[in-house]
Amino acid sequence: MNRRTPLYDEHVKLGAKIAPFAGYDMPIDYKPGVMKEHEWTRSKAGLFDVSHMGQAIVEGEKAAEFFSTITPSSFLRAPHGRAKYTVLTNERGGIVDDLIITRMTDTKFFVVYNAGRKDVDVAHMKKHLPTGVSFTELADNALLALQGPLAESALSEELPDADLANLGYMTMKETEWKGARVFVSRLGYTGEDGFEISISQDKAPALWSALLNNPDVLAIGLAARDSLRLEMGYPLYGHDLSEETTPVEAALSWVMSKGHDAFIGAKAILGVEPKHKRVGIRLTGAGIAREESPVYVGEKKVGTLSSGGFSPTLKAAIGQGYIDSDYAKEGQAVEVEVRGRRIAAIIAPLSFVPAKTKAAKQATPNLKSA
């Protein structure tokens, strides 16, 4: 039987279409539909239930060294409150999972990892945990994401003491909501300005309802979350990332801190030229291509889509996938095969639409600022 988040009853009240996802019964979309939900998030503020994701606190004198060992990112000089998007790597250099790690103090870190990889991630981290460093799952916390250009104003009404206007991109702070401790982070997986809010399960439904009372806020399901992240070229574990792909192959080289080579899998990653790379693909012919669609140049198969779908913003079919390095150049003409029919396409930048995060507005990279 699938698990349910603390907000399951709220989704049912809103008439959500419920389906299994990563071992949970999750809202795929609501009555407005995927297209409306996607466009609402791009123009106003979309509210997502992401409580299925794992959350944990890691604490100890060697915590920063620990994360600098199990990821290609160095946390030794990370300032307090700073969040980093990074990946766990295995001995082969493959990606165990992608996750966000936030340094709360010199010795305390907050970690958010994917729902479908919870057991694997926890086992992997505990396996490498140094003596004196503790790993505590926040099993009693829910996680909400509020994303969109009006997210700051909507959330500020509920968290007036948090001073969200001065909370930087990829940073976190602790605050309170009706007596409950809240971790609020300025980040998300839509390319919009927005926040993730970790709060106790018993208070989550009330906060969810309070935010939805704002006319600028609409509940958004996982289907629109997927189309939003696809437009930004953000990877989805189990589709675009796996234990067989390295950060370099996955176009995530930027998570690897310069001069940092003391991490698991470093020898299999550093200085190794990848045979294939993750790229963006935009169809120029009519049709929609999905995951596992083969990609050709002439009669040569040069790759496979790892994600694909329709972009509501561009009104076009887009995707991402792994292409032989010799052909992984922007502007390269390719064809994507769908049900035996070849559709014209080109290799495109992974970000199909501009980021509108707070960092992007300040002319700095989006996730790359992590």
Side-chain angles (χ1 to χ4, degrees):
M1 182 177 178
N2 290 318
R3 289 175 284 183
R4 294 175 175 177
T5 76
L7 296 168
Y8 177 82
D9 290 342
E10 303 302 315
H11 305 317
V12 173
K13 290 176 187 176
L14 292 171
K17 176 183 176 182
I18 304 291
F21 181 82
Y24 285 79
D25 286 330
M26 295 296 293
I28 302 304
D29 62 355
Y30 300 87
K31 292 180 180 179
V34 179
M35 188 75 71
K36 175 69 177 293
E37 292 172 23
H38 181 112
E39 293 172 343
W40 188 282
T41 305
R42 289 276 184 243
S43 61
K44 295 186 179 181
L47 182 62
F48 303 77
D49 176 14
V50 288
S51 304
H52 57 314
M53 299 185 73
Q55 302 178 67
I57 295 290
V58 174
E59 193 167 10
E61 291 296 329
K62 294 184 177 180
E65 181 181 331
F66 165 64
F67 284 118
S68 300
T69 299
I70 64 171
T71 79
S73 307
S74 176
F75 287 84
L76 300 179
R77 297 181 180 179
H80 295 182
R82 182 64 167 169
K84 289 191 179 189
Y85 172 88
T86 188
V87 296
L88 300 174
T89 47
N90 58 31
E91 296 290 350
R92 302 184 306 276
I95 298 172
V96 177
D97 198 9
D98 60 333
L99 70 172
I100 291 181
I101 302 170
T102 304
R103 186 174 206 162
M104 301 173 71
T105 69
D106 283 352
T107 59
K108 187 176 182 180
F109 290 78
F110 175 59
V111 191
V112 177
Y113 41 97
N114 286 310
R117 300 292 287 177
K118 276 183 182 179
D119 293 343
V120 173
D121 289 356
V122 172
H124 182 82
M125 286 188 271
K126 285 185 174 180
K127 176 183 176 181
H128 297 282
L129 206 63
T131 301
V133 177
S134 63
F135 184 98
T136 305
E137 292 183 72
L138 298 179
D140 294 330
N141 273 34
L143 190 66
L144 285 63
L146 187 65
Q147 302 282 295
L150 302 184
E152 181 186 298
S153 60
L155 188 57
S156 292
E157 292 183 11
E158 296 301 322
L159 302 177
D161 297 330
D163 189 22
L164 297 180
N166 290 314
L167 184 65
Y169 182 60
M170 297 302 287
T171 59
M172 185 189 84
K173 72 185 305 182
E174 289 188 56
T175 186
E176 287 190 357
W177 186 78
K178 299 189 182 302
R181 181 181 66 168
V182 172
F183 299 146
V184 57
S185 304
R186 193 171 207 136
L187 45 80
Y189 225 56
T190 66
E192 297 292 331
D193 189 17
F195 305 86
E196 289 187 358
I197 309 108
S198 178
I199 188 171
S200 61
Q201 291 188 6
D202 61 327
K203 289 294 180 70
L207 178 58
W208 173 271
S209 297
L211 289 169
L212 286 179
N213 282 335
N214 187 314
D216 293 329
V217 179
L218 187 71
I220 312 296
L222 293 185
R225 187 169 187 260
D226 189 56
S227 59
L228 288 158
R229 69 94 192 168
L230 185 58
E231 286 187 342
M232 297 308 304
Y234 295 163
L236 179 64
Y237 198 91
H239 299 262
D240 312 300
L241 306 177
S242 76
E243 293 199 26
E244 306 306 317
T245 55
T246 72
V248 177
E249 293 170 332
L252 296 176
S253 298
W254 52 269
V255 307
M256 299 190 297
S257 297
K258 187 176 181 180
H260 178 47
D261 60 4
F263 63 91
I264 296 171
K267 290 182 179 179
I269 299 171
L270 300 177
V272 178
E273 286 296 320
K275 294 181 179 180
H276 60 277
K277 299 177 182 178
R278 184 172 66 96
V279 299
I281 297 177
R282 180 167 179 167
L283 274 65
T284 54
I288 305 290
R290 304 289 183 182
E291 181 180 356
E292 297 187 357
S293 296
V295 180
Y296 290 86
V297 172
E299 294 306 309
K300 182 179 181 180
K301 181 182 175 182
V302 298
T304 306
L305 287 193
S306 51
S307 289
F310 180 75
S311 164
T313 302
L314 300 176
K315 310 300 182 192
I318 60 173
Q320 54 182 278
Y322 285 85
I323 304 297
D324 292 353
S325 295
D326 290 342
Y327 300 94
K329 304 175 182 65
E330 291 181 18
Q332 169 72 54
V334 296
E335 291 181 313
V336 181
E337 185 172 288
V338 179
R339 297 174 183 172
R341 182 172 66 92
R342 301 278 182 90
I343 302 174
I346 59 170
I347 304 299
L350 276 166
S351 294
F352 294 91
V353 300
K356 293 189 288 182
T357 61
K358 187 170 185 176
K361 294 174 183 175
Q362 296 169 345
T364 59
N366 54 356
L367 274 178
K368 296 184 181 181
S369 67

